[in-house]
Amino acid sequence: MADPETPVVQLLTKLMSIPSTSDEEQEIATFLATYLKSLGYTTELIPIAPNSNRCNVYAYIGKSRRTRVLLTSHMDTVPPHIPMTMKNGIIYGRGACDDKGPLAAQIIALEELRSENAVKEGDASLLFVVGEEKGGPGMIAANEMGLSWEAGIFGEPTEGKLATGHKGHFVFEVFARGVPSHSGYPEKGKSATGALVRVLAELQEMAEGLPVSELLGRSTFHAGQIQGGVAYNVLAAEASALCGIRVATGSEEIEKRVEEVVSRHPDVQFKKSFAYSETLLDFDVDGLETMPVAFGTDIPRLKGDHKKYLYGPGSILDAHGENEQVSISDLIVCVAVYKELVLKMLQ
């Protein structure tokens, strides 16, 4: 059985003890800045906006902020916080694989490279951001740092394989307006929930005919959050849905088709939340398996012409669920692979 006392597990244990759901990352950011400073890194807590108490963490060796390689993961998790447990070499709890497992592995990988004198000032840096699970304000703000890198290694659960690409995401809201009335006399009112259901059904039908990517497959639609109405016996005056399309290809066409569908419903309005297109990744590393992934990441939010690698331990199928998990053996392998990727980028 893998050793639970290994450094990556010890660090992950500390990280998972700190709740850090999106918008509540202050404590873990402070911990990471202090921890990395204690290891000898130059560390910065960088607010994502003026007067914001939400900060990214940036760390590097010596005085040079500008480095060739960037190791980056996100500090936030989806709710709720689930305390860590460990059984039979498996770590369970919120953030185990998404994204504190990869984050811990990146720190330990760079620490091992430092102890081996394999990296020096200007070679590699660490960037840990807020809000990836909620629109990516942390990585968007990172563009204001005035830095660029030759390569970025992004940590996410990819089953120990290099991702060849990932889908984009188009997130939007639809709002329906109605006229409330007694449900016994529906002719006296207009149901907002009825209007919302009709437009959602049409959006689902539209999604069946969206363009298909040879690499990433189909684009898929889902209504993740629906709300409206006040009681079963009152026609709803208002209703809304927060929706998303995982974009395999043709992001501009998809946005246009969504707006066209909604425009055919006079009692429904459309509001775009955020969007990014599908992303093709670098995977030119011998000996590592590869696969495309359907989830989104911060990768398209970081501007620049750097190489982009996506790798991490655990499976996205375990992320966001009550049994989120990662194996200790996969964490240890991940440390080794991150080291390999850094050294390859520095050649």
Side-chain angles (χ1 to χ4, degrees):
M1 184 180 299
D3 183 5
E5 298 302 314
T6 188
V8 69
V9 176
Q10 291 181 330
L11 177 55
L12 181 55
T13 300
K14 295 176 182 177
L15 296 175
M16 291 181 65
S17 71
I18 304 173
S20 59
T21 54
S22 300
D23 298 320
E24 301 293 336
E25 308 97 340
Q26 298 91 326
E27 184 179 355
I28 196 168
T30 301
F31 168 82
L32 281 167
T34 302
Y35 175 78
L36 291 167
K37 185 176 181 179
S38 74
L39 295 177
Y41 292 91
T42 304
T43 62
E44 301 178 21
L45 276 170
I46 306 174
I48 64 170
N51 302 316
S52 174
N53 62 357
R54 299 178 71 193
C55 296
N56 292 336
V57 179
Y58 188 55
Y60 44 94
I61 303 166
K63 297 180 180 180
S64 178
R65 297 179 84 230
R66 188 174 299 278
T67 67
R68 295 179 60 193
V69 179
L70 177 69
L71 291 155
T72 180
S73 295
H74 60 91
M75 298 180 287
D76 65 315
T77 67
V78 297
H81 175 67
I82 302 174
M84 173 183 163
T85 58
M86 193 184 312
K87 183 178 179 181
N88 297 328
I90 307 293
I91 295 170
Y92 297 89
R94 185 61 76 228
C97 65
D98 189 15
D99 199 31
K100 295 177 180 179
L103 191 159
Q106 289 182 340
I107 292 174
I108 299 303
L110 190 53
E111 270 299 278
E112 289 188 5
L113 289 172
R114 286 180 70 200
S115 69
E116 296 162 5
N117 294 317
V119 292
K120 61 184 184 304
E121 181 176 342
D123 281 343
S125 52
L126 299 162
L127 174 65
F128 304 130
V129 299
V130 303
E132 188 273 346
E133 301 286 5
K134 205 173 180 181
M139 190 60 81
I140 292 170
N143 293 298
E144 302 302 316
M145 295 170 62
L147 297 174
S148 62
W149 299 268
E150 295 174 20
I153 302 168
F154 295 78
E156 291 279 2
T158 64
E159 301 178 15
K161 301 174 184 178
L162 274 177
T164 55
H166 74 66
K167 290 184 179 181
H169 211 181
F170 175 37
V171 178
F172 59 94
E173 295 178 88
V174 285
F175 301 89
R177 300 290 183 183
V179 178
S181 71
H182 193 294
S183 64
Y185 303 87
E187 69 277 6
K188 300 296 184 181
K190 185 182 292 185
S191 171
T193 53
L196 183 66
V197 167
R198 286 189 292 273
V199 75
L200 293 179
E202 192 169 334
L203 287 168
Q204 183 67 64
E205 183 179 356
M206 173 217 66
E208 298 300 322
L210 291 176
V212 177
S213 163
E214 184 175 340
L215 175 65
L216 300 174
R218 296 177 54 249
S219 296
T220 56
F221 165 80
H222 70 284
Q225 187 177 50
I226 299 175
Q227 55 188 356
V230 295
Y232 75 93
N233 54 2
V234 181
L235 267 67
E238 297 179 343
S240 64
L242 182 59
C243 306
I245 294 180
R246 295 288 179 170
V247 178
T249 187
S251 55
E252 291 185 6
E253 177 185 347
I254 287 174
E255 291 189 32
K256 183 183 297 185
R257 289 175 68 171
V258 167
E259 293 189 52
E260 288 175 351
V261 168
V262 177
S263 70
R264 293 196 288 267
H265 297 260
D267 298 321
V268 181
Q269 293 181 319
F270 163 87
K271 179 183 177 183
K272 178 178 175 178
S273 296
F274 67 86
Y276 53 84
S277 61
E278 67 278 11
T279 300
L280 301 182
L281 302 169
D282 295 286
F283 53 93
D284 53 335
V285 181
D286 293 336
L288 289 179
E289 293 185 69
T290 62
M291 71 173 186
V293 297
F295 59 86
T297 74
D298 265 336
I299 292 175
R301 297 176 179 131
L302 184 62
K303 307 305 180 185
D305 59 1
H306 49 272
K307 284 194 165 189
K308 305 170 182 67
Y309 294 89
L310 179 62
Y311 180 90
S315 171
I316 196 67
L317 300 179
D318 295 319
H320 298 196
E322 62 182 13
N323 289 315
E324 183 172 346
Q325 61 185 268
V326 68
S327 73
I328 294 175
S329 58
D330 283 350
L331 282 169
I332 293 170
V333 169
C334 184
V335 170
V337 172
Y338 283 149
K339 291 172 64 178
E340 178 185 355
L341 290 173
V342 170
L343 292 176
K344 177 178 173 60
M345 297 307 101
L346 293 174
Q347 286 178 353

